[in-house]
Amino acid sequence: MNKLNPKDSLKARKKTTTTLQDLANYLAKRQIEIPLKVVGFILAGYFLRLPVFEHFIFISNQREDGRYEKSPWDVPFLFFYICVFTALRAATMDYVLFPLAKLVNVPKKKYQRFAEQSYSVFYYGIAFGFGVYVMYDSPWWFDTTYFWRDYPVTDYTKSFKYYYLVQFAYWLQQIFVLQIEAPRKDYKELVMHHINTLLLISLSYCCNFTRVGNAVFVCMDLPDTILALAKALNYCLPGIVCNTTFGIMVVSWLYTRVYLFGCIIWSTLTEPDLYVPQFVLHPPSGNWFPYFVKYIIAGLMIGLYFLILFWTLMIFKVIYRILTEPEAKDVRSDDEDETEYITSMEKIEGDHSTPKLTAKDIKAKTQ
């Protein structure tokens, strides 16, 4: 029997890694071109009134009373909006946010990060607003017992289903972003966060826990919006404006992510026993809640909570820097070495950075 030569094995691994890197770079450089072709093809099929194509663009499975249920067509809907988000993110950064970075005197080396954070402000701000909109008049608005009352809830309003599936598509697209980005110091934490988040989203949607999912989305999106704004201001308007925004973010983070999300975890551990009629696995009736599922959901939430606590430590580190080292606040320098203050702020929940741009790339994007 022939033994595998260690050198050959190493070469094979290197070749595979190189191939994957080449593929990632190829896709990264065509983030607008490839998704737009897919989106254009689907839109053309829809306007030509060809069958099936409408299911990619609009939610499906409407009942006679106007409410919606889950459908296998939710999968192509997710695919379409993953393509939309990929093209939208790249196009917005290239044609809007890079020129804006130049306009507001962001250091050239920070154009990319400024654009990324500005896009995050745009997305998370809209997501938070829409999440509050669909939640505000609901019975589970600040009443965690309604996460579990009436389980299983298998039907949704039109706006709720759009909201949940678009959020799902966004987070699926973030996995692609994570794979093409330049590696960061907290890459492992970000991977854990994304996997955990996607497991929670998919489990909540498939197993009819969307009420609690809506609450978790809202808790996460508010501080994400303000944090991204603080990071963007860190590059163009450092000092009191940036620090004030960061202070507001700290309050929102502690209230929503640490306190409210903690309440949601406690509700998941204690309230299903009080309000779920029966713990049973019966898919035809929408029941996907045998008793052990409670611990799976709670376990995923607790895992996410530990990551939140990790980033909370980063927040307090930034606060310490702001209070003790005011000279570290100026981020306009083009020096190769960054201050620890800047690095600490960027490490809070990571930066979703696309592959590192060369000077030639930056010049081309800002001309």
Side-chain angles (χ1 to χ4, degrees):
M1 184 175 180
N2 294 330
K3 291 185 178 180
L4 185 64
N5 190 321
K7 291 185 178 180
D8 292 338
S9 177
L10 181 61
K11 287 181 180 179
R13 285 198 298 270
K14 286 184 177 180
K15 185 176 180 180
T16 302
T17 302
T18 303
T19 302
L20 291 174
Q21 289 174 343
D22 290 342
L23 177 61
N25 290 332
Y26 177 84
L27 294 174
K29 291 178 180 178
R30 292 163 177 81
Q31 291 180 70
I32 301 175
E33 175 188 348
I34 295 176
L36 274 186
K37 287 180 178 179
V38 176
V39 170
F41 174 76
I42 293 171
L43 289 175
Y46 170 72
F47 285 115
L48 291 172
R49 299 184 181 277
L50 298 177
V52 174
F53 284 92
E54 65 176 309
H55 296 294
F56 285 82
I57 305 170
F58 306 107
I59 55 175
S60 305
N61 205 16
Q62 185 178 19
R63 300 190 319 201
E64 291 183 359
D65 62 0
R67 294 179 69 84
Y68 287 80
E69 295 181 348
K70 293 193 293 292
S71 166
W73 289 112
D74 295 342
V75 176
F77 180 92
L78 290 174
F79 170 75
F80 177 77
Y81 283 94
I82 288 170
C83 294
V84 169
F85 277 127
T86 302
L88 178 65
R89 180 181 185 272
T92 303
M93 288 176 60
D94 285 357
Y95 300 112
V96 178
L97 298 175
F98 271 90
L100 178 62
K102 182 179 181 180
L103 184 65
V104 297
N105 298 319
V106 173
K108 281 190 176 182
K109 292 181 180 179
K110 301 299 180 184
Y111 280 7
Q112 184 174 325
R113 293 183 183 177
F114 172 82
E116 291 159 0
Q117 297 309 319
S118 299
Y119 177 79
S120 294
V121 174
F122 166 75
Y123 176 78
Y124 289 124
I126 293 175
F128 171 72
F130 201 66
V132 170
Y133 167 75
V134 299
M135 188 181 182
Y136 183 71
D137 289 327
S138 70
W140 62 94
W141 175 258
F142 281 95
D143 188 346
T144 58
T145 65
Y146 277 93
F147 293 161
W148 318 106
R149 292 178 188 267
D150 309 319
Y151 181 85
V153 178
T154 58
D155 57 294
Y156 322 99
T157 63
K158 182 178 182 179
S159 57
F160 188 93
K161 186 170 182 180
Y162 266 115
Y163 166 75
Y164 218 86
L165 288 181
V166 168
Q167 284 273 57
F168 199 169
Y170 174 82
W171 280 101
L172 286 169
Q173 190 266 342
Q174 286 298 294
I175 291 293
F176 168 72
V177 172
L178 196 61
Q179 295 309 308
I180 65 170
E181 70 178 4
R184 307 196 65 80
K185 292 181 180 179
D186 61 345
Y187 177 80
K188 291 181 180 179
E189 288 83 359
L190 278 174
V191 170
M192 291 170 58
H193 173 268
H194 282 43
I195 292 174
N196 207 317
T197 299
L198 279 172
L199 286 173
L200 282 170
I201 296 171
S202 56
L203 184 64
S204 65
Y205 187 69
C206 295
C207 299
N208 301 316
F209 301 113
T210 49
R211 289 181 173 183
V212 66
N214 177 204
V216 172
F217 274 137
V218 171
C219 285
M220 300 298 161
D221 288 342
L222 175 60
D224 272 344
T225 304
I226 308 174
L227 175 60
L229 178 60
K231 287 182 178 182
L233 291 173
N234 199 31
Y235 301 124
C236 64
L237 201 61
I240 189 169
V241 175
C242 173
N243 292 341
T244 301
T245 305
F246 186 76
I248 296 171
M249 187 283 300
V250 171
V251 174
S252 71
W253 179 287
L254 294 176
Y255 179 63
T256 60
R257 288 203 166 193
V258 177
Y259 173 67
L260 288 183
F261 186 51
C263 292
I264 292 172
I265 294 173
W266 181 251
S267 168
T268 304
L269 287 169
T270 61
E271 292 182 336
D273 298 270
L274 302 175
Y275 300 106
V276 174
Q278 55 180 342
F279 292 94
V280 62
L281 179 62
H282 188 252
S285 63
N287 280 281
W288 294 84
F289 206 174
Y291 197 75
F292 68 87
V293 170
K294 180 181 81 167
Y295 295 106
I296 294 176
I297 299 170
L300 290 170
M301 287 184 177
I302 291 169
L304 187 57
Y305 198 69
F306 277 121
L307 287 172
I308 289 170
L309 294 179
F310 167 77
W311 282 313
T312 302
L313 291 177
M314 296 297 102
I315 288 174
F316 283 110
K317 185 176 182 180
V318 173
I319 293 173
Y320 177 79
R321 293 287 172 184
I322 291 174
L323 296 176
T324 61
E325 300 181 20
E327 70 279 1
K329 297 174 187 176
D330 190 359
V331 299
R332 294 180 182 272
S333 173
D334 275 347
D335 291 343
E336 191 67 31
D337 296 329
E338 298 177 348
T339 66
E340 190 171 349
Y341 166 76
I342 302 167
T343 304
S344 297
M345 179 175 279
E346 290 173 349
K347 282 180 67 177
I348 301 171
E349 207 175 356
D351 281 337
H352 293 185
S353 304
T354 45
K356 187 175 181 180
L357 297 178
T358 63
K360 184 179 179 181
D361 293 330
I362 293 175
K363 185 177 180 181
K365 289 176 182 290
T366 55
Q367 283 180 340

